[in-house]
């Protein structure tokens, strides 16, 4: 009887580190994203979560993988679209595209995976420090991460009476490709970001992955919004 971790966006960053972490603990891992995860033995379902209809590819893979397992399933909503935009300037179509990846895809996955969630299974959301506050210039990301917290809380209430739990992990500044692309290789900018944690450094993807694995096996955290940011310095 196999335990499965279904991770969106496991091709890089936090998602890839999470795939490695679960696999190291003996779980089978399925990556759901546009690009393959290079961790050996990960099952890749290559779909674009921004394009409606991706379920047609995902459902057969789900049946052939976790659908045959019968063990625990941990669904990790990690994929996210991060773009620069403004709340007072973005158009509706742009916002819809971000919603498809950041909010609609988790909603659809929850519905599709729910029949496979046995006792001890979990649904984990990867939020952000920006799930409960905002900064200028990434309005769609901020808005959808706030929505993710609401979805997790709704999920918790829907799971009343089951032995399935949920949580939202909100990382701070993490050394992912997205952050490195955002900083553009600027050493001074990287040092400035590091200085914005009380530890004076940037979080590693592996640290977030370790915490997600802890959440997967800790049902007492059910319904929790958990900030994993090394004590972010507020200015």
């Amino acid at each position: 009887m196999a335990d499965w971790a279904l991770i969106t966006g496991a091709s890089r960053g936090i998602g890839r580190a999470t795939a490695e972490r679960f696999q190291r603990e003996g779980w089978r891992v399925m990556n759901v994203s546009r690009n393959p995860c290079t961790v050996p033995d990960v099952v890749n379902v290559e779909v674009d979560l921004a394009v409606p209809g991706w379920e047609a590819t995902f459902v057969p893979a789900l049946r052939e993988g976790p659908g045959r397992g019968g063990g625990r399933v941990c669904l990790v909503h990690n994929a996210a679209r991060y773009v620069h935009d403004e709340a007072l300037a973005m158009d509706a179509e742009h916002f819809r595209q971000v919603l498809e990846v950041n909010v609609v895809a988790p909603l659809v996955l929850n519905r599709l995976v729910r029949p496979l969630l046995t006792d001890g299974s979990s649904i984990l959301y990867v939020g952000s420090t920006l799930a409960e506050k905002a900064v200028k210039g990434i309005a769609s990301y901020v808005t959808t991460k706030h929505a993710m917290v609401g979805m997790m809380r709704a999920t918790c209430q829907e799971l009343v009476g089951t032995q399935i739990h949920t949580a939202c992990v909100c990382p701070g500044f993490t050394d992912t490709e997205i952050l490195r692309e955002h900083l553009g290789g600027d050493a001074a900018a990287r040092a400035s970001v590091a200085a914005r944690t009380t530890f004076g450094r940037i979080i590693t993807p592996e640290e977030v992955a370790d915490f997600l694995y802890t959440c997967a096996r800790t049902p007492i955290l059910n319904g929790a919004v958990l900030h994993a940011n090394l004590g972010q310095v507020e200015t």
Side-chain angles (χ1 to χ4, degrees):
M1 185 178 296
D3 294 327
W4 280 84
L6 276 62
I7 307 167
T8 62
S11 59
R12 62 180 192 167
I14 290 171
R16 189 183 189 284
T18 303
E20 288 185 311
R21 185 69 174 88
F22 274 83
Q23 193 178 80
R24 193 159 65 244
E25 298 297 334
W27 293 56
R28 296 294 310 279
V29 177
M30 177 178 286
N31 165 48
V32 183
S33 70
R34 289 178 300 173
N35 299 306
C37 176
T38 57
V39 176
D41 299 322
V42 167
V43 176
N44 286 296
V45 182
E46 294 182 42
V47 296
D48 188 345
L49 297 176
V51 179
W54 53 265
E55 306 97 299
T57 300
F58 174 72
V59 169
L62 186 66
R63 291 197 193 105
E64 291 301 312
R68 292 175 176 267
R72 293 172 296 173
V73 173
C74 178
L75 173 58
V76 183
H77 296 303
N78 168 71
R81 186 165 183 178
Y82 179 101
V83 290
H84 295 281
D85 48 33
E86 297 180 6
L88 302 180
M90 79 172 96
D91 62 59
E93 185 55 35
H94 166 83
F95 189 47
R96 288 189 187 101
Q97 291 174 5
V98 178
L99 281 169
E100 282 290 341
V101 177
N102 296 10
V103 179
V104 176
L107 178 77
V108 173
L109 282 164
N110 285 346
R111 173 173 55 82
L112 296 176
V113 175
R114 174 64 184 93
L116 304 182
L117 299 181
T118 57
D119 290 358
S121 294
S122 55
I123 300 174
L124 303 180
Y125 297 81
V126 179
S128 166
T129 299
L130 297 175
E132 293 192 322
K133 66 178 186 179
V135 296
K136 183 180 179 181
I138 46 173
S140 62
Y141 185 80
V142 168
T143 302
T144 53
K145 288 300 184 180
H146 275 65
M148 181 168 274
V149 169
M151 187 180 293
M152 184 280 296
R153 288 172 171 154
T155 301
C156 180
Q157 296 305 307
E158 296 290 341
L159 292 173
V160 168
T162 72
Q163 299 297 308
I164 305 161
H165 66 280
T166 186
C168 183
V169 173
C170 296
F173 299 110
T174 306
D175 192 14
T176 63
E177 290 85 349
I178 289 176
L179 180 64
R180 291 195 292 271
E181 289 163 6
H182 176 69
L183 297 178
D186 187 328
R190 184 178 177 87
S192 176
V193 168
R196 292 173 67 182
T197 74
T198 60
F199 277 59
R201 67 174 178 83
I202 297 174
I203 301 160
T204 68
E206 290 73 21
E207 288 177 299
V208 181
D210 286 344
F211 192 38
L212 286 165
Y213 181 71
T214 296
C215 290
R217 56 192 181 91
T218 311
I220 198 172
L221 297 175
N222 192 25
V225 178
L226 303 159
H227 287 277
N229 57 26
L230 283 177
Q232 191 160 304
V233 177
E234 302 294 343
T235 56

